[in-house]
Amino acid sequence: MAKTLSFDYTDGNITVVVSRGQGIPNVVWLKVQSEWGARGRHPARAVDIPVSTFLSRLDWVAPYCRQHGISAEWRGDSRKLVMRRVAEHRLLQEALAGGVETEPEEVEQALRASRFQRELRSFQRRDLLQLVAIANGANFSVPGAGKTSVAYAVYEYERALKRVDRLLVVAPISAFESWEEEAKRCFATVPTIRRFDGRIEPGTEVLLINYQRLQSGFAELATWVASGRTHMILDEAHRMKRGWGGEWGRNCLSLAHFASRRDILTGTPAPQSVFDLVALFDFLWPGEARRLIPSDGQDPTATARVADRIAPLFVRTTKSELDLPEPRVRLIERPLDSLHSDIYAALVGRYRGVFAASRRAEYDLRALGRVVMYLLEAATNPALLTAGSHRHDAIEFRHPPLDIPPDSEVDELLRAYPDYETPWKFRLVKELSETNARLGRKTLIWSNFVRNLETLRHYELEPLHPAIVHGGVADRSEQLRRFREDPDCAVLLANPAALGEGTSLHEVCHDAIYIERTFNAGQYLQSMDRIHRLGLPADQETRVTVLSSRETIDDIVDTRLRQKTDRLATLMQDPGLNVMALPAAPEDGLEGEEGLDVDNLDLAALARHLAGE
Amino acid sequence: MTSTEEARRADIAAKAAAATETLSIPWQNGRRTLHVINVSLDNVLLNPNSHRIRSQVESHVNADQLQREPFSESAQDFIADILREFDGFQSLVDSLHESSQLEPGIITAEGVLINANNRAVALRDLNEKYIRVGVLPEEATTQEITELEARLQLAKDYKQDYTFTNELLFIQEQIDAGMSYEDLAILLGKAQSRRPAHLRKGVADIEQSLRILQHIREVQEMSGKAIKLTFFDPHQSALVEADSAYQALREQDPAQARRVRDGRMAGVLVGVTYRNLRNWDSDHFLRDYVEPQFDHGDLLTAIDSSSIAGDGQDAGDGLDIFEETGQEDRPVDPSRMLAAAAQRYGADDEATVGGITKRELFDGLHERFTQAAEEKGLDLRDERRKLRPIDLVVDARKKVSRAREALKNAQTERGFDRGKFGYEIRRLRKELDSLAEAGGLDG
């Protein structure tokens, strides 16, 4: 008697039903349940499997069934579904081999005949050509390179070829406006664009939704995506980098299978390590990511190998291609003043023990993140230690004041401090900003700690009529307007979390000073992008100054940031990568992303610093 | 229904009708009141489907009979024997000897004990005549009874009573009955709460249990049912770890994941210790430590000739849509190793299959595996040995740093023995010099 497993699927459904035919032995059915799950009304007879789970665990079926003499019966659209998955695997191989031969003329012609009307720049046309040659694409171009326009071009081209008929864009809310505005410039006849609000109106051609809403709107979305030929685009795709381990990642990955074409856009795909790419590529090529990108992300040779392997799968217009002059980055390193230095030393003494205890074990990132915070504060402005975080500090920066035993050495030093010294960085910032102001230049000043910003605003920089932007500033647009337009306003004080990817200051400001930085490479690169982006005249110099306290955590941060940006450069095979930008979302809040973004290597380096090495 | 069965039911029904005492039990979504009676121990039947003993019943030498005629006298005796094997049975007997039965048990209308099975056996051993039980209604369905039994078991400290394999069976049973993974995880305490992070972990545990049970069943089949379910009870940690290793690898390299899992299971079958099993965490171990052990000989031949299910069998229909993926050929195939051990498991020690006796195969595998593990251990120790003197020197330097800090405070104290301090510093210097010299360093 034939032992048969039956597979049932209808296009538009989000589950596949696998049924146990007569003669299927217990051990085989248990295998089905243990591979795909045993959910359903009668799991002893049939199981309901989410499409994405089903498709990502297909590799065991053929060898196992052959071994046990099991037959497969494909009902409804199930055969098509599996064949598409098998076909996608082949499409990936094809993409890796360079993709389909496409004539530039053909693409131009097809676009001209469509609704697309925007004149694309040369680098955009080049990216477009490569993207349409492969089945799914990634665009890692720097912000300001016009990825949105290219994305619309890809969509319209695929649509002209009747491969897709609708578009789903998942993006941060702050980007919605940009997608809507760009559409008006890109299309002669603008397609119907709607923002998702629970129900999807018929006639919607382009649907915008943000990452958080994927969860509550999932069923609605999945049905919409599955019932047409949907092009799905993830904007700022690094936000789903947690993959199956995060809510946003899960939802994106679950929708992936229903889309006819997938694209991802991000300016910083992998600021921490190669491992950050896995979820992104799992979205683009479901089930294939782990074979493309090994799990050993820390191995230095792995980075280069991965870079080679995935090169055919993405496009990247670099900063240098935008023909922007390189920014001039200088590090000013000074020792701490004496009392300040004693405070820092006392703190180091205290924390040395904490790190030693964690040695060789997995660092508890959360607990030690707090220590990182205190050391950053101590290296810049000891007054921060006693105050704790400001209520307007970004969420990941919230922390209580340092726990100081009364009458201890540290306590005395901290109490004496304000009477005796001002942090050297504050003095220098004042000096540099005043010099700039005299030269008619405006200065953008970065600090992660709102207290620093507020102190500078009210004291050292007060004569320069500073504008200020952080989480607690209500009249943000007014502050930005003043900085841009008011000649007396010479300084903008900002924290990286608050000044997001939508803001351009490059027209009025070409000087930035970092009072302190964290281990977060992405945030650092993105902040630089505020004043260094497409639109700068070729002869405009951009000047970046980083202040670093000698022999403190600032040294470690500097070393680690260089390493991280270097790694990213190798990955993207372009030295120009060093000054790419990556948003760490302000109001949207990056899923699980710590503002400090500390990893194990950071902590290992820090541990050595504390040990006095 | 036989006359004994009829008589039993009638007796129980009559007693129930005349009963004065009642017992309240959880029932479906609420509670139910049962009549409590004193019934003759001759008139109650031990429950062959109790979740506590399913694995033992299945693995019993007379499993067939237990399945066909569970209420026959001999089958009932077998069940009583199984129950007597439980830890704590003797103390139960002792305590029942001291004081009479406190809590009533529960029986079906047909007289089958839903709980209190070991109490019944204990009382019989003590030559008692009666047992106090509440009686379930006649209309109670099998599903309801099963649920009640499960609930009663879990209400107690079930961890004590459920063996590893009994829990696996329980999980499978509940999943097949349609219970959600989440509910089951909560029920079994594998999820601390309904918070998403806890639930995810609990569900992962349940999924793991199903995978482990499935692998066990495959192995049992390979052995022609010679390997009993209870065989796996002492190996819970080993199997859980093997599955975790499998999970860690399967996304990236499913074939390697299978090799690791099958290799470890082969080790379990031939008695490799738990500690040594853990060494097989990737193909590195296979390549660098295991394969070199098998470069020739009967053992390798025996393994190579072991067939994995379906070698060369006709493929089933409908599989054509899957692409053929090449099989990686390794000099030693852990899946065949496992098959070799499993297939011979039930044979006599001296039985020769494939040119080698069972004992030779088992001993051979055991030895090589253990040897491989030990060699890996030695290599790791060598690594550590190289680091030890450096670690110690680093520690010493840190201590000196701390001494400097401590000195700041101590110096100002009255009674600080400066002389002694100087003396110890000089001794330290001397040690340091000898150490540097011994390490072949200048200064």
Side-chain angles (χ1 to χ4, degrees):
Chain A
M1 165 178 10
K3 300 183 267 182
T4 311
L5 286 175
S6 303
F7 298 88
D8 230 305
Y9 178 70
T10 314
D11 269 341
N13 283 1
I14 55 182
T15 59
V16 175
V17 179
V18 180
S19 310
R20 176 180 189 172
Q22 274 197 320
I24 294 280
N26 289 334
V27 69
V28 170
W29 187 245
L30 185 51
K31 178 73 169 168
V32 167
Q33 291 176 323
S34 60
E35 288 287 343
W36 282 321
R39 295 166 201 269
R41 296 202 54 203
H42 301 285
R45 297 208 292 266
V47 289
D48 297 336
I49 312 161
V51 172
S52 51
T53 310
F54 176 73
L55 289 176
S56 51
R57 301 249 176 91
L58 277 179
D59 62 291
W60 68 274
V61 180
Y64 190 88
C65 287
R66 288 196 182 105
Q67 268 176 20
H68 290 260
I70 310 286
S71 300
E73 186 196 348
W74 305 98
R75 300 193 195 138
D77 299 314
S78 60
R79 177 180 270 262
K80 251 181 17 186
L81 181 70
V82 173
M83 292 188 75
R84 214 169 68 197
R85 172 77 183 85
V86 172
E88 298 237 338
H89 179 76
R90 262 184 260 124
L91 285 171
L92 172 61
Q93 305 311 315
E94 194 176 69
L96 287 170
V100 173
E101 284 285 324
T102 5
E103 280 301 318
E105 250 314 297
E106 258 178 60
V107 177
E108 306 259 338
Q109 230 170 25
L111 270 187
R112 254 179 274 134
S114 73
R115 300 171 298 185
F116 198 84
Q117 65 176 7
R118 192 137 196 216
E119 266 304 311
L120 294 175
R121 308 233 204 156
S122 63
F123 49 82
Q124 289 175 310
R125 267 182 276 127
R126 182 207 55 204
D127 287 346
L128 171 65
L129 212 62
Q130 192 180 337
L131 286 171
V132 299
I134 55 182
N136 302 290
N139 192 339
F140 296 153
S141 302
V142 298
K147 294 196 285 294
T148 311
S149 305
V150 174
Y152 274 135
V154 171
Y155 168 67
E156 191 64 1
Y157 176 77
E158 297 279 33
R159 189 174 161 279
L161 264 60
K162 305 226 185 301
R163 292 211 277 252
V164 300
D165 57 20
R166 47 177 66 173
L167 173 62
L168 172 67
V169 176
V170 186
I173 297 185
S174 57
F176 280 9
E177 206 174 53
S178 151
W179 282 91
E180 285 161 346
E181 289 305 307
E182 279 303 306
K184 294 192 193 129
R185 281 186 229 130
C186 287
F187 293 98
T189 328
V190 184
T192 311
I193 305 187
R194 296 239 160 78
R195 301 187 181 196
F196 181 80
D197 64 357
R199 251 181 24 94
I200 304 174
E201 284 197 31
T204 304
E205 188 183 339
V206 177
L207 185 61
L208 300 176
I209 187 170
N210 60 321
Y211 287 89
Q212 284 94 333
R213 288 206 80 168
L214 289 172
Q215 177 74 7
S216 53
F218 190 86
E220 193 57 27
L221 276 175
T223 314
W224 189 75
V225 173
S227 61
R229 277 161 302 165
T230 312
H231 183 188
M232 189 169 165
I233 296 182
L234 300 185
D235 191 12
E236 306 301 345
H238 53 276
R239 289 176 189 220
M240 53 79 66
K241 75 178 189 179
R242 286 185 68 199
W244 292 106
E247 186 187 272
W248 301 354
R250 256 202 314 278
N251 289 318
C252 292
L253 290 170
S254 299
L255 284 172
H257 292 279
F258 301 114
S260 302
R261 181 189 167 102
R262 294 174 289 274
D263 281 90
I264 59 177
L265 314 178
T266 164
T268 328
Q272 290 290 92
S273 78
V274 134
F275 208 18
D276 285 348
L277 290 175
V278 172
L280 272 59
F281 277 88
D282 222 5
F283 169 77
L284 279 184
W285 306 96
E288 304 279 359
R290 301 269 169 173
R291 262 156 274 182
L292 288 169
I293 298 161
S295 61
D296 186 14
Q298 305 289 19
D299 169 18
T301 64
T303 307
R305 270 185 284 131
V306 170
D308 282 336
R309 212 176 308 153
I310 65 172
L313 303 179
F314 69 89
V315 299
R316 206 178 84 83
T317 293
T318 62
K319 272 280 198 183
S320 51
E321 281 172 310
L322 299 181
D323 248 336
L324 284 175
E326 282 284 305
R328 211 189 61 178
V329 181
R330 67 171 172 165
L331 187 78
I332 297 185
E333 204 196 24
R334 296 218 178 140
L336 297 174
D337 298 319
S338 115
L339 190 52
H340 191 170
S341 169
D342 284 345
I343 293 173
Y344 190 82
L347 221 58
V348 164
R350 170 198 271 232
Y351 287 121
R352 186 175 291 136
V354 171
F355 269 78
S358 317
R359 211 167 196 264
R360 271 188 243 115
E362 269 291 301
Y363 287 115
D364 179 351
L365 292 172
R366 240 164 245 288
L368 297 180
R370 188 69 72 75
V371 173
V372 168
M373 196 105 62
Y374 289 135
L375 290 172
L376 286 174
E377 289 177 339
T380 297
N381 176 12
L384 293 172
L385 292 168
T386 40
S389 60
H390 191 280
R391 74 171 182 284
H392 292 309
D393 271 327
I395 293 189
E396 42 292 358
F397 280 82
R398 303 258 170 89
H399 63 283
L402 183 65
D403 165 38
I404 306 158
D407 297 334
S408 64
E409 180 193 0
V410 180
D411 183 46
E412 285 181 21
L413 293 169
L414 282 170
R415 280 202 262 129
Y417 186 77
D419 296 334
Y420 288 95
E421 288 180 5
T422 307
W424 72 267
K425 289 185 183 181
F426 282 19
R427 298 197 306 269
L428 187 60
V429 157
K430 179 177 160 74
E431 220 180 276
L432 295 173
S433 308
E434 282 171 351
T435 307
N436 279 343
R438 276 198 296 277
L439 294 169
R441 294 174 180 170
K442 294 182 187 256
T443 314
L444 171 56
I445 298 176
W446 295 105
S447 172
N448 289 283
F449 299 102
V450 171
R451 246 174 242 292
N452 281 343
L453 301 174
E454 291 289 350
T455 307
L456 286 167
R457 174 212 224 187
H458 288 118
Y459 296 99
E460 281 82 4
L461 299 179
E462 203 265 330
L464 298 174
H465 310 289
I468 185 164
V469 169
H470 59 68
V473 167
D475 63 341
R476 222 182 110 102
S477 358
E478 173 55 22
Q479 295 288 327
L480 289 172
R481 189 206 62 78
R482 212 158 55 77
F483 182 64
R484 287 191 177 109
E485 297 173 17
D486 184 353
D488 285 333
C489 173
V491 159
L492 173 61
L493 293 156
N495 72 345
L499 205 59
E501 65 269 20
T503 318
S504 319
L505 300 167
H506 62 295
E507 275 147 18
V508 303
C509 175
H510 313 291
D511 293 78
I513 301 178
Y514 287 82
I515 297 189
E516 90 291 313
R517 296 173 301 175
T518 68
F519 289 104
N520 192 332
Q523 214 177 52
Y524 170 57
L525 294 175
Q526 184 243 346
S527 59
M528 272 225 268
D529 206 63
R530 299 302 109 237
I531 61 172
H532 184 250
R533 53 193 300 131
L534 201 61
L536 278 181
D539 58 350
Q540 176 61 57
E541 190 180 48
T542 306
R543 295 164 291 263
V544 174
T545 307
V546 176
L547 306 184
S548 175
S549 295
R550 186 170 297 156
E551 282 178 19
T552 67
I553 190 176
D554 284 350
D555 287 339
I556 313 297
V557 168
D558 184 58
T559 309
R560 287 293 299 144
L561 283 180
R562 278 180 218 267
Q563 285 171 347
K564 288 176 185 178
T565 51
D566 278 350
R567 196 187 304 134
L568 201 48
T570 316
L571 191 55
M572 297 301 153
Q573 292 172 324
D574 188 328
L577 199 77
N578 283 330
V579 276
M580 260 188 5
L582 172 65
E587 82 280 32
D588 283 347
L590 195 51
E591 176 167 66
E593 184 102 326
E594 312 287 318
L596 294 176
D597 221 4
V598 175
D599 67 21
N600 268 296
L601 287 183
D602 297 331
L603 290 174
L606 186 56
R608 287 196 293 277
H609 164 67
L610 289 174
E613 289 160 35
Chain B
M1 225 188 304
T2 68
S3 52
T4 348
E5 287 166 21
E6 257 204 52
R8 187 180 293 127
R9 286 177 105 249
D11 177 49
I12 290 171
K15 291 203 162 91
T20 48
E21 190 187 339
T22 57
L23 168 70
S24 165
I25 58 157
W27 187 252
Q28 299 179 339
N29 285 325
R31 295 193 80 79
R32 180 132 194 169
T33 309
L34 307 180
H35 297 292
V36 175
I37 64 176
N38 272 326
V39 69
S40 158
L41 279 160
D42 291 335
N43 257 350
V44 293
L45 296 165
L46 299 176
N47 185 1
N49 295 321
S50 159
H51 288 98
R52 281 172 76 233
I53 58 172
R54 278 177 65 195
S55 178
Q56 294 91 321
V57 166
E58 184 194 293
S59 309
H60 199 271
V61 131
N62 300 96
D64 275 343
Q65 191 189 355
L66 277 164
Q67 208 203 2
R68 276 182 289 113
E69 300 166 339
F71 298 117
S72 66
E73 206 177 302
S74 45
Q76 290 280 298
D77 280 342
F78 294 145
I79 297 176
D81 284 337
I82 292 175
L83 289 170
R84 286 194 191 95
E85 291 294 308
F86 273 87
D87 238 2
F89 181 76
Q90 190 51 48
S91 6
L92 177 62
V93 172
D94 293 340
S95 88
L96 281 172
H97 184 64
E98 298 250 334
S99 43
S100 55
Q101 185 191 359
L102 292 165
E103 285 279 324
I106 299 176
I107 58 170
T108 64
E110 289 82 23
V112 179
L113 285 158
I114 297 308
N115 62 353
N117 278 273
N118 32 2
R119 267 176 281 171
V121 175
L123 288 169
R124 280 181 192 156
D125 285 356
L126 289 167
N127 284 322
E128 292 288 334
K129 294 260 188 318
Y130 293 101
I131 181 169
R132 245 168 84 235
V133 289
V135 184
L136 285 173
E138 281 203 24
E139 331 74 78
T141 66
T142 320
Q143 177 64 10
E144 285 168 341
I145 295 174
T146 311
E147 271 176 28
L148 173 66
E149 194 254 334
R151 238 196 192 136
L152 292 171
Q153 288 299 334
L154 293 171
K156 303 189 303 188
D157 184 10
Y158 93 101
K159 279 185 189 114
Q160 236 179 6
D161 280 343
Y162 273 39
T163 60
F164 170 53
T165 51
N166 270 323
E167 183 181 90
L168 294 181
L169 289 178
F170 181 77
I171 288 174
Q172 182 189 30
E173 181 192 73
Q174 296 307 312
I175 290 289
D176 275 344
M179 190 182 271
S180 76
Y181 283 68
E182 290 77 7
D183 286 343
L184 189 51
I186 296 273
L187 183 65
L188 292 175
K190 294 186 186 291
Q192 285 179 309
S193 77
R194 289 207 174 262
R195 283 196 5 226
H198 289 157
L199 272 185
R200 262 203 297 279
K201 176 176 181 315
V203 166
D205 270 346
I206 302 287
E207 290 172 344
Q208 180 173 69
S209 299
L210 281 181
R211 282 193 301 271
I212 293 177
L213 180 60
Q214 201 278 332
H215 199 212
I216 288 176
R217 291 302 196 196
E218 292 270 4
V219 172
Q220 284 185 292
E221 262 211 19
M222 271 191 253
S223 75
K225 312 244 179 243
I227 305 179
K228 299 297 176 196
L229 193 53
T230 44
F231 167 83
F232 296 96
D233 279 325
H235 299 290
Q236 178 174 7
S237 318
L239 293 176
V240 166
E241 283 195 10
D243 182 79
S244 300
Y246 172 75
Q247 276 297 94
L249 286 168
R250 80 188 287 210
E251 292 294 328
Q252 199 187 322
D253 189 344
Q256 182 182 174
R258 269 196 299 275
R259 283 193 285 273
V260 168
R261 194 174 67 161
D262 285 353
R264 288 202 196 193
M265 180 62 96
V268 167
L269 290 189
V270 301
V272 175
T273 67
Y274 162 69
R275 261 225 192 80
N276 285 336
L277 283 173
R278 293 167 116 183
N279 282 295
W280 199 324
D281 56 359
S282 70
D283 274 349
H284 290 305
F285 184 73
L286 175 61
R287 212 178 34 226
D288 299 336
Y289 296 101
V290 176
E291 280 171 9
Q293 306 269 351
F294 282 91
D295 51 2
H296 61 273
D298 299 329
L299 194 53
L300 189 58
T301 318
I303 291 174
D304 276 347
S305 64
S306 298
S307 58
I308 312 183
D311 258 348
Q313 207 181 62
D314 297 310
D317 289 331
L319 298 173
D320 52 296
I321 67 177
F322 294 104
E323 293 185 323
E324 284 280 349
T325 45
Q327 288 281 43
E328 199 188 313
D329 254 323
R330 301 214 58 93
V332 178
D333 185 352
S335 307
R336 288 193 196 274
M337 207 188 270
L338 174 58
Q343 282 155 13
R344 285 175 186 67
Y345 191 87
D348 280 335
D349 275 354
E350 301 309 319
T352 305
V353 184
I356 183 176
T357 67
K358 173 192 164 180
R359 186 209 297 284
E360 283 170 337
L361 179 85
F362 272 56
D363 285 349
L365 283 177
H366 179 100
E367 215 181 274
R368 313 272 161 110
F369 199 135
T370 306
Q371 184 77 342
E374 284 176 359
E375 282 197 17
K376 182 174 171 188
L378 280 174
D379 282 352
L380 285 178
R381 216 172 310 145
D382 282 341
E383 283 299 311
R384 282 203 283 271
R385 242 203 305 261
K386 282 187 268 187
L387 291 172
R388 186 99 178 105
I390 301 176
D391 286 346
L392 287 169
V393 169
V394 169
D395 274 342
R397 179 171 48 72
K398 291 192 215 168
K399 287 216 171 94
V400 169
S401 248
R402 284 219 290 275
R404 238 186 338 128
E405 295 237 345
L407 184 62
K408 278 194 219 163
N409 294 327
Q411 282 198 87
T412 54
E413 299 284 328
R414 278 181 27 186
F416 175 64
D417 191 340
R418 177 155 257 114
K420 185 159 183 17
F421 184 73
Y423 171 68
E424 291 297 344
I425 291 261
R426 285 195 294 280
R427 286 180 77 187
L428 179 60
R429 276 226 185 87
K430 274 179 84 172
E431 281 290 345
L432 204 47
D433 288 339
S434 334
L435 181 60
E437 205 184 307
L441 304 162
D442 312 309

